[in-house]
Each structure stands twice: as structure tokens, then as C-alpha cells.
Amino acid sequence: MSSKEWPLWEVFIRSKQGLSHKHVGSLRAADAQMAIDNARDVYTRRSEGISIWVIESKLVTASDPDESAEFFEPSESKIYRHPTFYNVPDGISHM
Amino acid sequence: MTTQEAFYNYIVRLGDDSLILGQRISEWCGHGPILEEDIALTNIALDLIGQTNNLYELAVSIENKGKNIDQLAFLRLEKEYSNLLLVEQPNVDFGYTIVRQFFFDVYRKLVFESLCNSTDERLAGIAEKSLKETKYHLKHSSEWVIRLGDGTEESHRRVQEAVNTLWKFTDELFYQDEVDQNVIELGLGVDNSIFKATWNTHVEQVLTEATLTIPTNSWQHTGGRKGIHTEHFGYLLSEMQYMQRAYPNMEW
Amino acid sequence: MSTKNIEELEREFQAKIDADIKIEPNDWMPEGYRKTLMRQISQHAHSEIVGMLPEGNWITRAPSLKRKAVLLAKVQDEAGHGLYLYSAAETLGLDREKSIDDLHSGKAKYSSIFNYPTLTWADMGTIGWLVDGAAIMNQVPLCRCSYGPYARAMVRVCKEESFHQRQGFEIVSLLANGTPEQKQMAQDSLNRFWWPALMMFGPNDDNSPNSAQSIKWKIKRSSNDELRQQFIDVTVAQAEMVGLTIPDKDLKWNEARGSYDFGTINWEEFNQVIQGNGPCNKERIDARRNAKENGAWVREAANAFAEKRKKKELTH
């Protein structure tokens, strides 16, 4: 007999067709099926969703916030990846 | 008995089942075994109270005597309530609550499935909405029966005890009298005798998966449909009716 | 590991806060910030959960089907809010069940208001009107709190809570305009809950030692006294509108301040209730502890079943 707690699950909800699943919070459940059921009761009481994903929190791998400078800042200088970097002569449309 | 009377009684029976079970489940609010389950049980209670509302609205419009649904819910005498004995049984523990719910859900799903074809459009509409809710209740109660039955030794023992105790109220699910015969003839209500076998098969299948057994020797109790209840019912009513009895004819 | 020293980290941290950049779970944060948040979020979560009880009391006695459904939905929301908040606290490494055990042992606190009894149906109205009203005043600024998960939880809570105060006021105004018995019931209820509701904002600012730091960290966005005054100023008019009397003989409009002056709060009562000597402290905690203890076999069964299933899947 185990007296340990139910594991923690992260909940993602698709609010309507055409949108991606979005993280909404977490909850406790003994298994995946229960996690889905609980997510339905906890996070969609006001018709917030049409589809639910759950994943055990311990299975999520996250980037390290201490490395965020070397991770994310280098892309900031690569402004040529954005369309606003380029000059288009006046009068040109559909571009 | 006129058709109108029969149909009225038939709808009140359906509504009483929802109300009394809803009242029982709502006793859990704030006391569930874990927060998530507290929320789940309250959702079930809310569905049942919603069904009561819709069914009583239909009942008072059939009766057409200017009564409102709260008079129906709160101001009848004990013998005027016609709910199944099963639904008035006390919560006892989470195991009893789940087994009671499971027996009822299997039955209710069959009832609403058939009522979707009622010749009365209003009832068919209520059935369609309630069926969706009931399917979810059944999923929830079935999963829990299996978890508890095939969980630990203690949970198995508790939930088997609940099955043994509540089994004696299951024949009443298929009770029929002149009310039913009247509404069956006109296609307004359902002939619940035809799905007794389906109910048995379904229940047996889930209980087997849960490693639980059906008691072999069990004398069956009926009476609820005729207004003869178990001792528990009076207490439930005195609590539920308290405000309407203590402060008659007021708006809340 | 970061090579920066603690002063540098703290300076960067405060700069982020000042620039309204949210702090997220794995970011570096001062220990004091983490501890304050853990305490505040878990207290807040406990308040939601204990807060289910005084109202849950009346679900089975609600006077109409409509009121029964509304009250069920409201108390259920409180369970949900507790859950969102415990989730936010878990992101700081605070285990939910451990934190609940602290509540049960008396180590953790919760809002003092829930230690008062609900004696009549009118209390369902007054709680919605005053207690949720006070809570909303506290909570709306927290939607901008510096800690991301807490702020997000509060956005959800506030969105859901908007119906709570309205349904309460609806009950109160119905009673206040009802029969003499109903009006009396509403007035009695207001008399019992007015002062405890004012205490919900916490001690006066001079006696609230952690407030300044919390405001600097943007964990708290307004002071206790500011919020209390704001609450009184909006509520007095509402009471007048429905013809109920606020039980404070010193309550008077102060033209110069543009606010109401009000009587002295009985802080001795507040302290006693916080220390566990309120009318229902024991009942509330006992009810929560019983729920947890009586549910232990259910939670264990679900765990055992999940493990069995996992093994079955592996062998197949």
C-alpha cells in the first residue's frame, strides 16, 4: 500500500478550433485518465475548452533561466530576419 | 388515471430522482477526499439540480395549476415524493457514494437514451441534454468503481460492502405501475423492463473488471415510487425543506 | 551556476521588478521574496478552502432550486480557486499536501473571517456582498503582482469571482426589500459580519511590519488601510441603497478627506480569532482534517490501482 501523494500534472487547453493548446495550470491525479477528467472539472467549468492535454509535470524539460542570455539574446541582433528590416520603394504593394 | 395525470407523475418521478440524488451529492461539497474530486462531485450535483429544474418545469406546465417548481421541490409531504429508494440512501463514505451513483448512472443513461425518442418534444429535449451529462457521470463513477474495487485491500472491502448493501435497491430501477403503462402506450415514456438485461450486463462487466461480485442472495426493496421511503428520507427532507417550511410564502 | 554575487543578483532582481518584468518560477529570487510569496499564496489558498465551509453549510438548506445551484457553483469555484493557488505555490516548490498539513496543524493561517458562523440564510448574501467584496478589493491589484504564476492565478480567480459578489448582493437586496422577517434577517447578518469584514484587510499599516517590503517587491500593491478605506467608501452607499444600517455609530462622511470616517476596530477580537479562539476555528479545521483523513483510503486506492495498471501495461 502506498501513502504517497498523487503526482502533479500540467494542463493544456485548446479553447476553440483553430487555436493551439495553451498551458492553464496544474492539478493532482493518480493516473492520466483521472488527470484528464479532473482537468475537465477544474479548468473548463465555464466552457473554456474543447480539447485537453495533460502531462506529468516531472516529464517537462525546461530551458535554464541562468542561460537565458546566451540562449535567447543572440537572435535579437539578427534583425534581417524580420520584414521591417528591408526598404521597399513607395508604390510597391502586395509585398 | 388520465394521461395527463400519468405523464405528470412520470415526470415528477424523474425529477425527484435527480433532486434527491443531487441533494445527497451536494452534502459532499467541501468534504471530498481530495480537492479535485470535491469539484467533480459538485459538478455532478449541479447537473442533477439542473435536471430537476427542467423536469419540474415540465411537470408544472403539464399539471397547469399555477404551481411553481420550488413548491414541488420543497413543499410536498414525504409520501408525495416518488424517488427511488436507491438515491435517498446516505453517502456513508466515498465508496457508497460511488456505487450508488454507478448503479443509478447505468440506469439513467438507458432511460435518457430512450426518452430522446419520446413523443413529447419537451421531454425529448430534456433527455438529450441530460443524456450528455449522464454519460459523463457514468464514465466518472465507472472509473472510480474500478479503481476502488481493484485498488487496495481496504478499498476493495469498503466498495464490496457498498455493493452488498445497495444491491437490494436495484430492482426498483425497473419498477412499473399504471403510471408507466399509460405513458408507454402513448410513446411519451419508456418501457424500462426492456433494458433490465442491458443494465445487468453493463453492471456485471464493470464490477468484474473491478474484481467485485454481485451478492447472490438479496431480498429486494421497493416503495419509493409509491411514496414509501426509508428512514433516512425524513431527515433529508427536514433539512432540505427547512427554509420553505419556517418562512412560508416568501421570495428568496 | 551563476557567478554573480548576491548583491548583483538582488540589484538585477529589483530592477526587473521596477521595470514591471514578471518573475517566473525558475528565475533567481531572494529567499525573502520566495518565503513571503509561499506564505502569502498558501494562506490565500487555505482561505479559499476553509472559506468553502461556512457557505457549504447552507447548500443542503438553500431555500430554492436556483439558490441551491448558485451556491453550489460558488462554493465549487472556491475549491477551484484554492486549487489554482496551490498550483501557483507548487511552482515555488511548496508541496500542496504538506502545506495543507500545516493548515491542519495550526501552523499556517487563513483569513479570520471564516471562523465566524453562518447562522441564517441571510449570511449567504452578506458573505457574498461583504466578504467577497473585500476579497475582490484585495485581489484585483494582485492580478498585477510581480510573480507570474500568482498573477495568472489571480486573473483567473478574479474573472470567476465577479459573479460571487453580485449573487450575494442580490440575496441581500431581496431580503432587505422582502417581508419584515426577511429584512430583520438581513440586518442581523450585516450586524454580525460588518466588523469581521473590515478586519479582513489585516492590521493597521503601522502594525503591519512586512507591508513595506511586500509593496517594494510588488507582491502587494496597496496598503491594508488604503484598501479598507476604499471598501468602506463603496459599501456604505450600497447599504443605504437597500435600506440597511451599517452598525457603526461613528461612521460619518468626511468632506475634507472625501472618505468616510469610521469607528475603532476591535483588534483584540481580531488577534484572538487569528490565534485560534474564534467561534468556529476548531470546527473549520476539524472539518478539513476529517475530509483529508477520511479520504486517505480513496487516494491510496487510486495510487495502488495506477501502479497495477502500469505494471500490466509493461508486461503486455
Side-chain angles (χ1 to χ4, degrees):
Chain A
M1 191 145 80
S2 69
S3 59
K4 67 173 173 41
E5 281 168 35
W6 291 352
L8 194 65
W9 300 75
E10 298 302 321
V11 180
F12 301 81
I13 298 209
R14 185 202 296 287
S15 58
K16 61 178 195 189
Q17 292 296 113
L19 297 181
S20 52
H21 287 75
K22 192 172 161 233
H23 183 246
V24 293
S26 65
L27 48 72
R28 298 260 172 193
D31 54 52
Q33 187 54 54
M34 194 199 284
I36 290 277
D37 292 355
N38 288 347
R40 177 251 190 203
D41 288 321
V42 172
Y43 289 106
T44 68
R45 296 198 303 287
R46 286 173 171 79
S47 317
E48 291 96 334
I50 52 153
S51 165
I52 300 173
W53 287 351
V54 292
I55 181 165
E56 237 188 288
S57 309
K58 68 176 185 201
L59 299 178
V60 174
T61 309
S63 60
D64 182 350
D66 284 344
E67 290 173 356
S68 67
E70 54 268 42
F71 233 68
F72 301 111
E73 279 170 28
S75 73
E76 283 171 15
S77 58
K78 306 198 174 44
I79 47 174
Y80 41 79
R81 285 189 174 126
H82 300 281
T84 45
F85 178 72
Y86 302 93
N87 291 319
V88 175
D90 288 345
I92 299 287
S93 55
H94 303 299
M95 193 177 275
Chain B
M1 183 178 287
T2 65
T3 302
Q4 188 201 12
E5 280 165 354
F7 193 39
Y8 169 80
N9 281 318
Y10 185 74
I11 302 298
V12 169
R13 287 177 182 185
L14 288 168
D16 287 354
D17 286 347
S18 296
L19 173 63
I20 303 304
L21 188 57
Q23 174 79 359
R24 278 291 184 224
I25 301 288
S26 72
E27 291 170 19
W28 273 105
C29 189
H31 308 277
I34 193 162
L35 220 37
E36 285 81 352
E37 189 55 30
D38 209 303
I39 295 172
L41 286 171
T42 307
N43 262 352
I44 295 172
L46 277 168
D47 285 342
L48 290 166
I49 300 301
Q51 291 170 13
T52 310
N53 218 87
N54 297 336
L55 289 162
Y56 282 179
E57 287 288 2
L58 178 54
V60 295
S61 81
I62 294 167
E63 195 192 27
N64 201 16
K65 281 186 187 162
K67 257 198 222 158
N68 67 47
I69 57 170
D70 286 324
Q71 289 171 312
L72 213 49
F74 299 100
L75 289 171
R76 278 178 291 160
L77 300 175
E78 172 162 349
K79 67 174 196 304
E80 293 167 332
Y81 286 82
S82 53
N83 57 280
L84 296 161
L85 297 179
L86 176 70
V87 298
E88 72 195 41
Q89 296 312 302
N91 292 339
V92 185
D93 67 11
F94 186 71
Y96 272 76
T97 300
I98 284 297
V99 170
R100 184 184 62 199
Q101 190 70 39
F102 171 65
F103 287 162
F104 183 73
D105 290 342
V106 178
Y107 157 80
R108 255 305 170 99
K109 177 171 162 274
L110 294 166
V111 170
F112 283 137
E113 271 169 358
S114 303
L115 284 179
C116 287
N117 302 316
S118 167
T119 50
D120 185 283
E121 271 178 30
R122 296 163 299 177
L123 180 55
I126 295 173
E128 207 179 312
K129 178 173 188 298
S130 309
L131 177 60
K132 287 182 197 138
E133 296 164 351
T134 308
K135 279 182 175 168
Y136 186 77
H137 302 172
L138 177 59
K139 172 176 151 63
H140 177 262
S141 61
S142 308
E143 282 170 5
W144 268 114
V145 165
I146 296 167
R147 270 188 207 111
L148 297 177
D150 195 16
T152 62
E153 243 172 71
E154 183 186 4
S155 69
H156 178 86
R157 177 181 58 70
R158 281 175 181 260
V159 80
Q160 181 66 60
E161 188 192 297
V163 169
N164 296 347
T165 308
L166 295 171
W167 187 255
K168 62 176 171 286
F169 300 113
T170 54
D171 253 12
E172 198 189 13
L173 302 172
F174 307 99
Y175 172 88
Q176 277 195 8
D177 60 15
E178 66 278 16
V179 168
D180 300 86
Q181 273 127 38
N182 255 298
V183 295
I184 293 166
E185 256 167 48
L186 294 163
L188 291 167
V190 298
D191 181 356
N192 55 13
S193 67
I194 58 170
F195 48 66
K196 185 167 194 269
T198 318
W199 184 88
N200 267 315
T201 314
H202 188 135
V203 167
E204 222 177 292
Q205 193 198 325
V206 172
L207 291 187
T208 307
E209 192 177 345
T211 73
L212 297 164
T213 51
I214 291 172
T216 47
N217 181 18
S218 173
W219 178 250
Q220 290 290 323
H221 295 239
T222 57
R225 289 285 187 240
K226 284 278 176 211
I228 301 162
H229 294 272
T230 54
E231 279 187 351
H232 310 292
F233 195 54
Y235 295 97
L236 180 146
L237 278 193
S238 52
E239 193 171 340
M240 188 173 80
Q241 296 187 337
Y242 162 63
M243 287 297 292
Q244 289 278 350
R245 295 286 184 202
Y247 303 92
N249 306 317
M250 295 182 202
E251 293 278 320
W252 300 97
Chain C
M1 254 329 269
S2 173
T3 50
K4 293 171 188 162
N5 68 31
I6 202 106
E7 286 82 32
E8 242 178 298
L9 285 165
E10 275 179 2
R11 211 171 324 121
E12 282 175 9
F13 177 82
Q14 191 59 48
K16 258 165 109 179
I17 301 262
D18 294 341
D20 275 330
I21 296 170
K22 298 278 184 216
I23 307 301
E24 293 296 343
N26 296 322
D27 294 350
W28 185 89
M29 60 185 85
E31 261 325 283
Y33 178 83
R34 180 188 299 274
K35 284 217 175 88
T36 307
L37 267 178
M38 290 205 306
R39 195 185 58 233
Q40 185 175 329
I41 300 174
S42 59
Q43 273 181 12
H44 194 162
H46 298 329
S47 300
E48 295 282 354
I49 300 307
V50 177
M52 295 170 75
L53 298 169
E55 287 174 287
N57 236 346
W58 279 88
I59 290 171
T60 54
R61 289 178 290 172
S64 71
L65 288 174
K66 174 187 159 188
R67 293 293 168 206
K68 196 186 284 292
V70 169
L71 189 57
L72 269 167
K74 176 176 191 273
V75 179
Q76 181 191 44
D77 271 351
E78 281 152 16
H81 299 168
L83 206 151
Y84 308 155
L85 289 161
Y86 284 126
S87 291
E90 300 234 38
T91 63
L92 292 163
L94 186 67
D95 182 276
R96 180 170 105 190
E97 295 306 313
K98 279 200 189 72
S99 150
I100 288 175
D101 289 339
D102 285 346
L103 169 71
H104 296 173
S105 71
K107 205 174 125 196
K109 302 284 180 235
Y110 56 91
S111 180
S112 58
I113 191 83
F114 302 118
N115 293 312
Y116 289 86
T118 49
L119 303 177
T120 66
W121 172 254
D123 294 353
M124 298 306 100
T126 312
I127 288 183
W129 174 33
L130 298 184
V131 176
D132 289 300
I136 290 167
M137 225 149 238
N138 257 320
Q139 288 168 355
V140 168
L142 288 175
C143 296
R144 295 180 293 122
C145 152
S146 62
Y147 186 58
Y150 190 26
R152 290 192 287 274
M154 290 318 301
V155 168
R156 222 185 159 84
V157 168
C158 287
K159 215 162 87 192
E160 298 189 351
E161 204 134 273
S162 53
F163 98 79
H164 292 188
Q165 192 188 15
R166 279 174 179 229
Q167 66 85 35
F169 192 68
E170 189 184 89
I171 293 175
V172 170
S173 56
L174 218 108
L175 297 186
N177 293 303
T179 64
E181 284 154 292
Q182 284 178 310
K183 183 162 188 186
Q184 189 58 48
M185 196 192 276
Q187 183 63 54
D188 285 345
S189 178
L190 175 59
N191 293 350
R192 281 183 286 112
F193 276 97
W194 174 254
W195 291 102
L198 296 189
M199 295 175 198
M200 281 178 73
F201 296 96
N204 287 134
D205 293 347
D206 328 340
N207 296 318
S208 187
N210 304 321
S211 280
Q213 180 62 67
S214 283
I215 286 174
K216 193 173 164 223
W217 276 334
K218 295 187 182 169
I219 292 176
K220 208 172 159 167
R221 314 247 3 186
S222 317
S223 85
N224 296 353
D225 287 332
E226 281 164 16
L227 289 168
R228 188 168 13 244
Q229 185 70 58
Q230 205 183 326
F231 173 76
I232 293 170
D233 291 346
V234 303
T235 311
V236 172
Q238 294 165 354
E240 277 169 5
M241 200 93 79
V242 293
L244 295 176
T245 312
I246 304 274
D248 178 359
K249 57 178 175 19
D250 299 320
L251 191 74
K252 217 177 88 207
W253 179 251
N254 182 326
E255 197 63 57
R257 287 203 307 127
S259 268
Y260 281 94
D261 291 335
F262 54 98
T264 316
I265 291 170
N266 184 348
W267 293 113
E268 176 56 17
E269 176 180 324
F270 175 75
N271 290 329
Q272 287 294 333
V273 175
I274 291 281
Q275 283 160 35
N277 301 321
C280 297
N281 294 60
K282 185 178 181 321
E283 285 82 351
R284 301 290 184 246
I285 294 301
D286 283 354
R288 290 310 310 160
R289 197 189 296 120
N290 287 340
K292 181 161 184 180
E293 283 171 9
N294 295 337
W297 70 274
V298 176
R299 298 189 302 274
E300 280 162 13
N303 265 335
F305 177 78
E307 271 165 36
K308 278 187 201 173
R309 279 294 144 111
K310 244 185 237 161
K311 267 187 208 143
K312 243 190 207 166
E313 274 164 28
L314 288 176
T315 52
H316 277 92

